[in-house]
Amino acid sequence: MLETSGRNKLSDLAQIIIGEGYKRVMVFCDTKFNTATLANQLARLGFSVDCLHGDLSQKERNQIMQNFRDGKLAILVATDVAARGIDVSDVDAVINYDVPEENEHYTHRIGRTGRARKQGASYLFYTKEEQKRVDQLLRLTRNTDDCKSVKFDFNHEHLKIEDTAPADKFQIKAYF
C-alpha cells in the first residue's frame, strides 16, 4: 500500500516501474476516462503503454492484448470490466492506481500477477481520505496480513516497508 496524492500519483507510478525494474506491468483505474488519460500520460513519459476499456471494439482489445502478451507493450492500463479474462504470464506487478469500488475487483486485479508459480508484486495507491475504505477492503478480502505499507526513501528512488515497530525496538527495513 502506498499513500499518495493526486498530484504525486503519476510520478509515484513511474518511479515504482523504473525503480523496481518492472518489465511487464498492469495498472488498474476506475473509469474509462482515467484509463485513457493515464495511458496518454505514461506514453508522454516514454513508456510503451496502451489501455483497455469498454469503448474499444473486440478487435481493438484483441490486438492490444496480443501486443501485451508479445512484449510489445510494457504497461497495460485497464478498467476492471475490460480486464476480465486477461490471462498473461510473467506480469511483474499489478498496480491499483485507483482503489476499487468492489472487493471482488481487488481480488481479480491482484490475481493477474504471481501466476504459474512465478512471483509478482501488487500495489494499492490510496489517499488519506480513502484509508477507511482500504482497511475495509483488505479485511474483507483477507489480505490484512499480506499487505504492507510502503514509502519512498529519502531520495524518492526506492520503496521501503514502513516502519511500524515501536521506537525502542530495533528493526531492519526491507527493500524490494
Side-chain angles (χ1 to χ4, degrees), residues 1 106 134-144 147:
M1 300 185 320
Y106 176 72
V134 168
D135 291 343
Q136 176 191 46
L137 173 73
L138 295 175
R139 189 180 74 255
L140 293 173
T141 58
R142 298 184 180 133
N143 281 291
T144 53
C147 196

Side-chain angles (χ1 to χ4, degrees), residues 157-175:
E157 292 176 355
H158 300 284
L159 289 173
K160 62 180 185 173
I161 296 175
E162 190 172 70
D163 186 2
T164 56
D168 61 337
K169 299 272 185 180
F170 176 77
Q171 181 180 13
I172 297 173
K173 294 184 180 176
Y175 291 87

